[in-house]
């Protein structure tokens, strides 16, 4: 049995249920672990020790009264610092929100509380979730627990690193272009981006609203299934939320997995690290040996994904971030002379360089005279990209790809923004098409860095993806390895 801080959510839930362990003991163990590793990892923007222990104690009281609420009751779960928790800081890792305290709960927050989870910590991320390395945080970068000189991926780098380092039992992130799956891959974890509309975005700091989804990080596929089951479902507070009954994802793990798998040939070209290519090929062989029908498919518009994404995402961001004006929220410049100057200076002082770059780009592509040439055209390309996937799904049930073209890179290594944008080439198509996808550990590079396999599914077929990923996980031991720190 691994040490407490590396045990899975499912294992810990069973131990809590058997009263081998109390929620307070578990929380104390994680607080001690956090004190030891956090100075090296920096996965948290903040945490409230007394509040976490009070929630754990309330869970123990429920259990003692025979009113435990299920597998999440008493389990410490970390939230990315873009998900609102009432009376807690909500910074989006930005200076502009550095003094902001949320007056309300996100729907996912409320759902986790209803399930009895202990909400522990505000997890570091790229500023407003813009980035692929967590180096854009105004509060400093996060280190990858597998190699502290490397990035954990981004933008949900803190959500991944805190889990990989044993500071939380599971966590939530948000994924607009890969921000759950890519850090999960780089930190050796399971990360799931749900179908657009499955999980409510109410209380999520908006980056690009037509692409954003909240989703789980877990040590195992089962842990991700448990969390997804708790946060999914219709919410009238999010007008893009889908009306559907949420299946029992955990039960689906042992159900039949899809058998027709497609390998998109565009995802295995130049730029793919050979070690990652080999690990994904081995996973393909595993499924073939299991009797799956595996065939090559084509997603012909893949080469336009990055361009379409960086037009649409920045356009939506420029609109969403207009609300941060120094008047209603967050940082207010002290140097302003009049109202316009107050907006300009508050934003100039409050936003970091990458956020400004995107606001400027997004404002440009939406401006009169350029709207048709850029924004409208990108929306048309988006439709073509979605059609590519839907056409492939006429022949196959799921697609297999690498999650990231490269393993975790060195902190500071990629100074050029375009080099960072290229980290997302295998993940952003999924967001543009609104599909579900999961990253599951599928090996290590020669230098010991984790590798992720991405499985992409049809809309609202998360249960299929989880069953497929679980099948793979049961036959491999990648998820049982932990970083040495
Ligand atoms: N790296 C991508 C970006 O910077 C995706 C980020 C995300 O998914 N939030 O936009």
């Amino acid at each position: 049995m691994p040490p407490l801080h590396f045990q899975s959510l499912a294992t810990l839930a069973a131990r809590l249920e058997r009263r081998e362990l109390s929620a307070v003991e578990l929380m104390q163990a994680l607080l001690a672990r956090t004190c030891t590793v956090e100075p090296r990892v920096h996965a948290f923007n903040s945490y409230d020790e007394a509040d976490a222990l009070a929630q754990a104690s309330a869970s123990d009281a429920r259990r003692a009264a025979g009113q435990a609420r299920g597998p999440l009751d008493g389990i410490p779960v970390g939230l990315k610092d873009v998900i609102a928790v009432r009376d807690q800081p909500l910074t989006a890792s930005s200076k502009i929100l550095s003094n902001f305290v949320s007056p309300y709960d996100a729907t996912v927050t409320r759902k986790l509380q209803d399930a009895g989870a202990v909400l522990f910590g505000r997890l570091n991320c790229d500023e407003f979730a813009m980035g692929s390395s967590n180096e854009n945080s105004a509060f400093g970068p996060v280190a990858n627990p597998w190699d502290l000189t490397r990035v954990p991926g981004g933008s949900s780098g803190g959500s991944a690193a805190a889990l990989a380092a044993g500071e939380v039992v599971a966590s939530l992130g948000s994924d607009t272009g890969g921000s759950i799956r890519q850090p999960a891959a780089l930190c050796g974890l399971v990360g799931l981006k749900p179908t657009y509309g499955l999980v409510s975005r109410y209380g999520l700091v908006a980056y690009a609203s037509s692409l954003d989804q909240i989703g789980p990080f877990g040590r195992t596929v089962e842990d991700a299934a448990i969390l997804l089951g708790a946060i999914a479902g219709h919410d009238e507070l999010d007008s893009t939320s889908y009306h559907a009954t949420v299946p029992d994802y955990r039960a689906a793990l042992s159900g039949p997995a899809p058998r027709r798998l497609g390998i998109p040939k565009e995802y295995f070209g130049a730029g793919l690290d050979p070690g990652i290519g080999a690990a994904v090929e081995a996973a393909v062989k595993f499924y073939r040996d299991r009797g799956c029908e595996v065939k090559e498919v084509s997603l012909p518009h893949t080469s336009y994904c990055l361009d379409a994404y960086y037009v649409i995402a920045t356009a939506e961001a420029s609109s969403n971030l207009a609300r941060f004006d120094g008047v209603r929220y967050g940082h207010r410049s002290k140097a302003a002379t009049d109202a316009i100057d107050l907006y300009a200076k508050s934003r100039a002082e409050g936003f970091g360089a990458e956020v400004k770059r995107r606001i400027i780009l997004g404002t440009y592509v939406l401006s009169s005279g350029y709207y048709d040439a850029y924004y409208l055209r990108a929306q048309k390309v988006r439709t073509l990209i979605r059609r590519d996937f839907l056409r492939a799904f006429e022949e196959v049930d799921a697609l297999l790809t690498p999650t990231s073209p490269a393993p975790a890179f060195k902190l500071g290594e990629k100074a050029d923004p375009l080099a960072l944008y290229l980290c997302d080439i295998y993940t952003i198509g999924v967001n543009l098409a609104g599909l579900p996808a999961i990253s599951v550990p599928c090996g290590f590079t020669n230098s010991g860095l984790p590798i992720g396999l991405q499985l992409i599914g049809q809309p609202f077929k998360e249960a299929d993806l989880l069953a497929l990923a679980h099948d793979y996980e049961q036959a491999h031991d990648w998820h049982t390895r932990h970083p040495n720190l």
Side-chain angles (χ1 to χ4, degrees):
M1 187 86 107
L4 199 65
H5 55 261
F6 283 142
Q7 289 172 19
S8 71
L9 193 169
T11 304
L12 290 166
R15 296 187 63 192
L16 287 169
E17 200 181 331
R18 290 197 298 267
R19 316 275 172 106
E20 270 174 44
L21 180 72
S22 74
V24 167
E25 283 162 354
L26 174 57
M27 194 61 245
Q28 280 167 340
L30 292 189
L31 283 165
R33 172 73 179 168
T34 301
C35 282
T36 313
V37 299
E38 183 58 10
R40 284 172 282 158
V41 178
H42 195 218
F44 289 83
N45 283 340
S46 60
Y47 61 86
D48 183 338
E49 185 172 334
D51 175 60
L53 286 169
Q55 294 177 66
S57 161
S59 167
D60 285 335
R62 274 194 299 275
R63 200 174 296 280
Q67 288 163 357
R69 297 175 183 169
L72 281 168
D73 207 331
I75 298 288
V77 178
L79 302 189
K80 183 177 182 180
D81 201 359
V82 289
I83 297 171
V85 180
R86 201 176 76 191
D87 298 333
Q88 296 277 331
L90 175 62
T91 71
S93 290
S94 180
K95 189 179 165 197
I96 211 159
L97 283 176
S98 54
N99 59 4
F100 184 71
V101 173
S102 176
Y104 71 105
D105 281 324
T107 295
V108 294
T109 302
R110 194 180 39 70
K111 283 182 174 247
L112 288 180
Q113 285 165 339
D114 289 349
V118 173
L119 301 182
F120 174 47
R122 313 292 306 140
L123 295 167
N124 201 343
C125 56
D126 283 301
E127 184 175 358
F128 285 100
M130 297 176 187
S132 306
S133 66
N134 214 123
E135 292 169 292
N136 294 336
S137 167
F139 308 128
V142 177
N144 189 316
W146 291 89
D147 176 346
L148 296 169
T149 67
R150 292 177 187 270
V151 303
S155 65
S156 314
S159 302
L163 181 54
E167 300 174 274
V168 295
V169 178
S171 57
L172 294 186
S174 64
D175 190 315
T176 304
S179 281
I180 293 173
R181 291 159 288 156
Q182 185 254 16
L186 271 46
C187 290
L189 302 165
V190 176
L192 187 145
K193 182 257 168 210
T195 309
Y196 187 78
L198 182 69
V199 176
S200 170
R201 291 180 297 107
Y202 180 76
L204 169 68
V205 176
Y207 162 15
S209 309
S210 76
L211 302 160
D212 299 339
Q213 269 292 288
I214 296 170
F217 284 90
R219 296 190 191 289
T220 64
V221 175
E222 182 178 24
D223 289 3
I226 294 170
L227 263 186
L228 181 66
I231 61 171
H234 179 69
D235 178 15
E236 60 186 25
L237 297 172
D238 172 359
S239 61
T240 60
S241 159
Y242 186 68
H243 282 271
T245 43
V246 178
D248 183 341
Y249 294 117
R250 199 177 184 185
L253 297 177
S254 43
R259 307 202 65 78
R260 299 179 310 158
L261 306 178
I263 312 296
K265 64 171 189 236
E266 292 81 3
Y267 282 57
F268 291 83
L272 176 60
D273 175 274
I276 296 182
V280 174
E281 293 297 339
V284 170
K285 181 174 180 310
F286 163 81
Y287 284 113
R288 206 177 261 128
D289 292 348
R290 297 281 280 189
C292 290
E293 184 192 312
V294 182
K295 63 154 86 164
E296 187 178 279
V297 296
S298 175
L299 301 171
H301 296 92
T302 297
S303 60
Y304 302 109
C305 282
L306 213 62
D307 308 67
Y309 174 85
Y310 276 97
V311 172
I312 293 167
T314 57
E316 294 183 14
S318 73
S319 165
N320 275 327
L321 271 59
R323 73 190 71 177
F324 301 104
D325 55 10
V327 177
R328 286 168 296 178
Y329 317 91
H331 176 74
R332 174 178 299 176
S333 174
K334 295 195 172 56
T337 51
D338 59 30
I340 298 293
D341 198 40
L342 177 71
Y343 299 154
K345 290 216 170 78
S346 299
R347 288 166 70 82
E349 293 166 12
F351 289 133
E354 182 60 29
V355 175
K356 285 179 189 160
R357 178 180 295 116
R358 296 193 187 198
I359 292 174
I360 292 168
L361 185 59
T363 306
Y364 179 79
V365 300
L366 286 176
S367 58
S368 151
Y370 295 106
Y371 181 94
D372 288 3
Y374 294 108
Y375 184 69
L376 197 65
R377 212 173 166 85
Q379 291 290 16
K380 290 178 178 169
V381 173
R382 180 177 189 173
T383 302
L384 296 175
I385 291 165
R386 180 171 166 83
R387 281 191 198 147
D388 281 356
F389 280 104
L390 298 182
R391 198 164 301 124
F393 286 134
E394 287 168 10
E395 294 177 55
V396 298
D397 306 311
L399 302 170
L400 253 70
T401 79
T403 305
S404 163
F409 46 92
K410 292 271 187 190
L411 285 153
E413 181 183 323
K414 293 192 199 273
D416 172 15
L418 280 179
L420 277 169
Y421 297 175
L422 281 168
C423 297
D424 305 318
I425 47 171
Y426 302 142
T427 48
I428 49 183
V430 163
N431 301 74
L432 288 166
L435 303 171
I438 189 168
S439 181
V440 53
C442 75
F444 290 85
T445 63
N446 289 338
S447 39
L449 297 171
I451 301 176
L453 168 73
Q454 177 174 237
L455 302 165
I456 305 171
Q458 303 182 31
F460 302 105
K461 295 277 178 71
E462 279 78 2
D464 278 0
L465 281 186
L466 288 161
L468 203 56
H470 184 69
D471 228 13
Y472 175 86
E473 186 188 71
Q474 291 306 294
H476 297 83
D477 69 354
W478 313 119
H479 63 288
T480 64
R481 305 195 194 174
H482 303 290
N484 194 2
L485 90 167

